[in-house]
Amino acid sequence: MKHYDAELHTRGESLYVDDVAEPAGMLHAAVYGSPVAHGTLNTLHLDEAKNAPGVVDIFTADDIPGDNQVGPVLKDEPLFSEGALDYQGHPIALVVAETQEDAMYARRLIDADITEKKPVVTAREAHERGDFHDTPRTFAMGDVADAWHGCDVIVQGRADCAGQEHLYIETQRARAVPTEGDRLRVYSSTQSPYAVQEATAHILGVAEHKIEVDVIRLGGGFGGKEDQATHWACMAALASELLDAPVQLVLHRLDDMKMTGKRHPYSADYKLGLKADGTILAYNVKHYQNAGAKADLSLAVLERTLFHSTNAYYIPNVRAYAASCRTNLPPNTAFRGFGGPQGMFALESAITDAAEVLGIPREQIQRKNLLQEGQSFPYGQTAERCRAPLTWETADEKYDLEKLRAKADQFNAEHQDKKKGVAAMPVCFGISFTGTFLNQASALLHVYTDGSVSLSTGGVEMGQGVNSKLINIAAQALGVSVDRIKVETTNTTRIANMSPSAASATTDLNGGATILAADELTDRLKEMVAREMGIQDDENLEIRDEKVFYRGEETEWHWEKVINHAYMSRISLSAQAFYATPNIWFDTDREKGRPFAYHVYGTAFFEVTVDVLRGKYQFDAVRLAHDLGRTVNELVDIGQIEGGLAQGMGWMTMEELAFGDDGELLSSALSTYKTPDGYFMPDDLDVTWIEDENPEGPYGSKAVGEPPLMYGIGAYFAIRDAMRAVDANTDWDFHAPMTPEKVLMDLHHHRLSPNWRKNLEEQPTTRVELAGE
């Protein structure tokens, strides 16, 4: 098995939006965005820009023929500002010129008269003002208030985690091309072709069938193109429609970083109650989500935070509150994990706090409270085929956590300038869109008379290998070689109303539809062969390895003969099928239900060495046991596990997303925003798969896109563990990412001004309560 795009990538032959040959007369666009984070647009002066060399026209909200609205959930997001300016980079106008350079030059000549207002940039400030995108939500189980009375130790505190830049290699881009009549074809770098089709039709005031959206592949997405690719496609389509000319819009990297949303920063207040032996009895948490200026997908992200607030643990009494807070930052959006990692970080911080107070290893509390088969999540679903204990035990048997801890302790006793830290990170992640209606997909199969196969689905290839998996699934379902399968571009004329490629569900949904289409086709073919062979029991026929077997014995029929005979017999060689995930539902009135088809589990062990004098660190090893189901494509799956881990570790350690008090993005270039490279990851990276049939996935497989990212949270706590070997008495705040600068300042805090971290609010003074106090 292989990643079938690898050869194209290696040879530089893979095509993206702007790799396709330019149509004659194609124009280029650039977006003029708000220079302030909060204000009112009084007057826009465009004359100088319109007269600049190469400029064809400039469009604003006044030029939109349909409804100036692209909000995917709440209708709160105009494509172009109508006067209110809510974040730096908020689109105001679109410059269209003969070249991209002309468009970008003319953009600088636009002058705006703006009344500036004071922006709100933190979630807690917005929460205090009561400025929410929607009503806050609460998940509850048991009786938290009563449970505190039975606790021997109660810890409370605060945990903060910053956002994260998607940093896809291919920036946001789209090309719109007029076709015959009044139709448009849009080439978009989007995870959501139907969302682009729907929004473009809405903006232009036309029927959806007049907009065709085609996606070859993306140069990375990570959630950043689930909703926010829509805006740029709508802009290109608007200009193309009004000028009756092809128009391409490609964001410069600096524009992309400034104008698009990120992973949501979160702040949380936690309170955790335990018995003296480490058994968790109660957990109360309040999540403050920094959603940015518009709702985007924040409400769905917030919901998944609540779903994952207890991670891989069973806590009998839980109360989890979450609020989506409106601030003057670019609208934050989907990012791998989709709110789950932020919910997990708060609980892992609380567990670490409790372990430090109790004077026991953090992993002792983790292991003791792992979710068991049949126990309930706070949202009402029961753990089925629970692999949380199994992944921990598998990792422990192979990698010996106690031995790793002893090795670190010995090293720390012998060294003063360097210290080692160890951490475990269990993960439990639910698989399905939490919006139940999105769990649907279609597939269209064509078999040509030479036996080759064309497959169309709603899945978008963005480097995650979904096309490779679909090739494997289709080949297995049809009983033919993978060489016969071609996956077509994702196109709204072949697959209607498709769900986004997101939520780790793309292979499950589109693979499920592919199997159903293949089954329909092969049933038709086997019925024909049975008739020709004069047998009645076509259920005993099997197509395998491009041959037809009857009761296990090879027959004279082979794939090409079957296909040709079917064609000559006027039997359809096409099949379309629809798949909807069964047995999932959720009642938002009661906040109870069964939202997930299944859960993915895993456990990772981290080892890190921290340079005490410089604050630098090096990860020595990451070893993990991952609940994979039965893999469809080993190479793709291992790539997703290792890549997700790296992205999660980057979020927790070095990817410092920073905004100024005026709402300006300070980490606005690759010179100020650091991401993991090959040297960052440990040389000792070992993955153990736990293979087990998953009845909810294609051929027993499990989703693998998002769960591995959450392993990266363990990197933060491994560093903290090493720091505790230097100073076990300081109650450091929980604030990610843990950059080398923060490590240095925390370790040498006694030499610094007590308010050096002025961007953080004062921490709660009460850390621990003992029973009876």
Side-chain angles (χ1 to χ4, degrees), residues 534-553:
I535 59 176
Q536 303 298 317
D537 52 341
D538 59 8
E539 68 273 10
N540 287 317
L541 286 172
E542 179 188 7
I543 302 175
R544 172 167 43 89
D545 299 329
E546 304 205 349
K547 301 170 185 175
V548 178
F549 293 82
Y550 177 61
R551 296 185 176 179
E553 296 294 326

Side-chain angles (χ1 to χ4, degrees), residues 445-768:
L445 269 175
H446 297 309
V447 181
Y448 299 100
T449 56
D450 66 351
S452 62
V453 179
S454 165
L455 170 63
S456 293
T457 75
V460 173
E461 175 60 50
M462 48 188 159
Q464 87 281 39
V466 66
N467 281 359
S468 296
K469 285 194 167 185
L470 289 174
I471 287 172
N472 294 131
I473 289 169
Q476 183 172 344
L478 292 171
V480 300
S481 166
V482 295
D483 296 330
R484 291 196 182 270
I485 313 295
K486 178 195 175 191
V487 177
E488 305 292 347
T489 62
T490 311
N491 188 290
T492 54
T493 65
R494 290 190 291 269
I495 302 295
N497 313 315
M498 64 188 78
S499 294
S501 289
S504 299
T506 308
T507 299
D508 284 7
L509 294 173
N510 294 282
T514 297
I515 291 171
L516 291 177
D519 286 349
E520 178 184 328
L521 186 60
T522 53
D523 285 349
R524 196 183 302 154
L525 296 175
K526 286 190 287 187
E527 182 180 339
M528 177 199 73
V529 172
R531 192 164 54 245
E532 294 298 321
M533 291 179 62
I535 59 176
Q536 303 298 317
D537 52 341
D538 59 8
E539 68 273 10
N540 287 317
L541 286 172
E542 179 188 7
I543 302 175
R544 172 167 43 89
D545 299 329
E546 304 205 349
K547 301 170 185 175
V548 178
F549 293 82
Y550 177 61
R551 296 185 176 179
E553 296 294 326
E554 185 177 339
T555 70
E556 63 177 7
W557 291 81
H558 55 81
W559 178 251
E560 291 184 3
K561 179 179 178 179
V562 170
I563 297 305
N564 275 280
H565 194 85
Y567 174 72
M568 297 302 293
S569 302
R570 299 188 300 174
I571 293 173
S572 173
L573 292 173
S574 297
Q576 188 273 342
F578 176 81
Y579 176 82
T581 308
N583 195 28
I584 54 172
W585 59 277
F586 194 72
D587 183 344
T588 54
D589 292 328
R590 297 190 302 116
E591 303 288 26
K592 300 292 180 185
R594 190 181 188 277
F596 300 117
Y598 59 91
H599 292 81
V600 173
Y601 300 88
T603 299
F605 295 157
F606 286 79
E607 294 179 82
V608 68
T609 300
V610 171
D611 184 328
V612 175
L613 299 179
R614 299 172 180 83
K616 298 190 298 181
Y617 43 76
Q618 177 64 50
F619 287 95
D620 305 312
V622 181
R623 305 178 180 98
L624 60 93
H626 185 79
D627 169 33
L628 192 63
R630 296 199 183 282
T631 181
V632 171
N633 187 308
E634 292 184 9
L635 190 63
V636 167
D637 285 342
I638 194 67
Q640 286 293 287
I641 292 170
E642 293 181 355
L645 169 67
Q647 199 166 42
M649 291 173 67
W651 173 51
M652 283 282 105
T653 59
M654 64 171 60
E655 296 189 42
E656 188 170 25
L657 191 69
F659 288 88
D661 293 338
D662 61 354
E664 179 183 5
L665 178 64
L666 302 178
S667 51
S668 58
L670 297 182
S671 59
T672 52
Y673 186 82
K674 186 171 176 59
T675 58
D677 56 22
Y679 295 102
F680 171 77
M681 296 300 288
D683 293 335
D684 187 356
L685 174 53
D686 192 64
V687 178
T688 297
W689 294 345
I690 297 176
E691 294 197 68
D692 188 18
E693 187 80 21
N694 172 34
E696 309 296 340
Y699 295 120
S701 64
K702 278 194 169 186
V704 73
E706 289 174 290
L709 183 135
M710 271 68 79
Y711 292 133
I713 297 172
Y716 177 94
F717 293 101
I719 295 170
R720 183 183 176 94
D721 187 63
M723 293 167 63
R724 294 279 297 177
V726 179
D727 180 359
N729 298 315
T730 299
D731 297 335
W732 291 302
D733 59 285
F734 294 98
H735 190 278
M738 182 65 81
T739 64
E741 293 85 354
K742 285 182 182 178
V743 173
L744 182 67
M745 291 178 176
D746 275 347
L747 288 176
H748 302 280
H749 62 92
H750 54 285
R751 301 182 183 181
L752 301 168
S753 168
N755 62 350
W756 68 271
R757 211 178 279 172
K758 63 180 180 180
N759 60 311
L760 296 181
E761 300 169 42
E762 185 176 349
Q763 295 291 300
T765 55
T766 303
R767 183 189 188 197
V768 59

